[in-house]
Amino acid sequence: MNRRQHDFESPYSTFRHFFLPSVALMMVCLVGSTSCNEQQGQEEKGFWLKVAVHVINDLPDPLRVQCKSKDTDIGLHILQTGQNLTWRFVPHIFIQNTLFFCHCYWGNKEAVFNVYDKFINVYCTTFQSDDENCYWSVQPDGIYFSGTNKIGSYAKWYLWN
């Protein structure tokens, strides 16, 4: 008497055909490019914590600033005294290689500096916000950083070139 194979799949076969491809697809989505948008009334609620970078002109004159990452150019902006440039993004979660930098021009001075990377992220906070915030104050004697934007919380991190 010949034994016929049964016409059903084992639980392992279902796992291999459905679950593993689903996990692979999720990993591709999570490790994909950094999501970024300038803050112009766009409010997105998502599962991942967003980072907000704020560059504030605390100079007596207009400041030209251009910020970008490998994938996203925030553009060239002219900030008047007291104005700020803010953008939000979701950093790469697993490989932690998100990097944003800014190039600032003030008169005959300029500075190029990182405004977000995995080391700076440690100092960014969610103080009074749903986002992780990194605040940069551009001043006549250098570029200052704060994670909270509280008075007295800024520390000089960069000098003008």
Side-chain angles (χ1 to χ4, degrees), residues 41-154:
Q42 300 172 346
E43 285 302 318
E44 298 176 4
K45 295 293 181 190
F47 182 76
W48 302 109
L49 185 66
K50 289 181 174 58
V51 173
V53 174
H54 311 266
V55 178
I56 305 160
N57 179 6
D58 285 321
L59 297 168
D61 305 304
L63 170 70
R64 289 186 311 144
V65 59
Q66 181 166 16
C67 301
K68 59 174 67 176
S69 72
K70 180 180 85 170
D71 302 319
T72 306
D73 187 345
I74 304 302
L76 178 64
H77 297 266
I78 298 174
L79 303 179
Q80 300 301 318
T81 301
Q83 280 188 316
N84 74 74
L85 172 64
T86 299
W87 69 96
R88 298 171 68 217
F89 59 94
V90 176
H92 293 286
I93 303 299
F94 296 107
I95 53 179
Q96 298 182 355
N97 67 346
T98 304
L99 167 70
F100 275 93
F101 68 93
C102 291
H103 195 154
C104 292
Y105 309 88
W106 177 51
N108 62 352
K109 296 180 179 183
E110 62 182 85
V112 179
F113 55 98
N114 291 351
V115 293
Y116 181 85
D117 61 27
K118 67 181 178 181
F119 304 108
I120 294 170
N121 180 60
V122 174
Y123 301 102
C124 301
T125 69
T126 56
F127 179 72
Q128 295 182 338
S129 174
D130 291 334
D131 299 324
E132 290 243 333
N133 287 282
C134 308
Y135 294 92
W136 295 94
S137 171
V138 181
Q139 300 182 24
D141 65 333
I143 316 301
Y144 290 73
F145 173 81
S146 171
T148 63
N149 198 28
K150 289 183 179 179
I151 295 173
S153 68
Y154 282 87

Side-chain angles (χ1 to χ4, degrees), residues 4-78:
R4 283 186 15 178
Q5 289 189 342
H6 295 287
D7 291 335
F8 69 92
E9 292 187 32
S10 72
Y12 176 73
S13 178
T14 302
F15 174 81
R16 185 177 43 147
H17 291 302
F18 175 74
F19 184 74
L20 291 178
S22 298
V23 169
L25 181 61
M26 284 190 326
M27 293 303 291
V28 168
C29 292
L30 293 175
V31 177
S33 66
T34 301
S35 168
C36 179
N37 64 349
E38 281 190 66
Q39 205 171 12
Q40 297 175 348
Q42 300 172 346
E43 285 302 318
E44 298 176 4
K45 295 293 181 190
F47 182 76
W48 302 109
L49 185 66
K50 289 181 174 58
V51 173
V53 174
H54 311 266
V55 178
I56 305 160
N57 179 6
D58 285 321
L59 297 168
D61 305 304
L63 170 70
R64 289 186 311 144
V65 59
Q66 181 166 16
C67 301
K68 59 174 67 176
S69 72
K70 180 180 85 170
D71 302 319
T72 306
D73 187 345
I74 304 302
L76 178 64
H77 297 266
I78 298 174

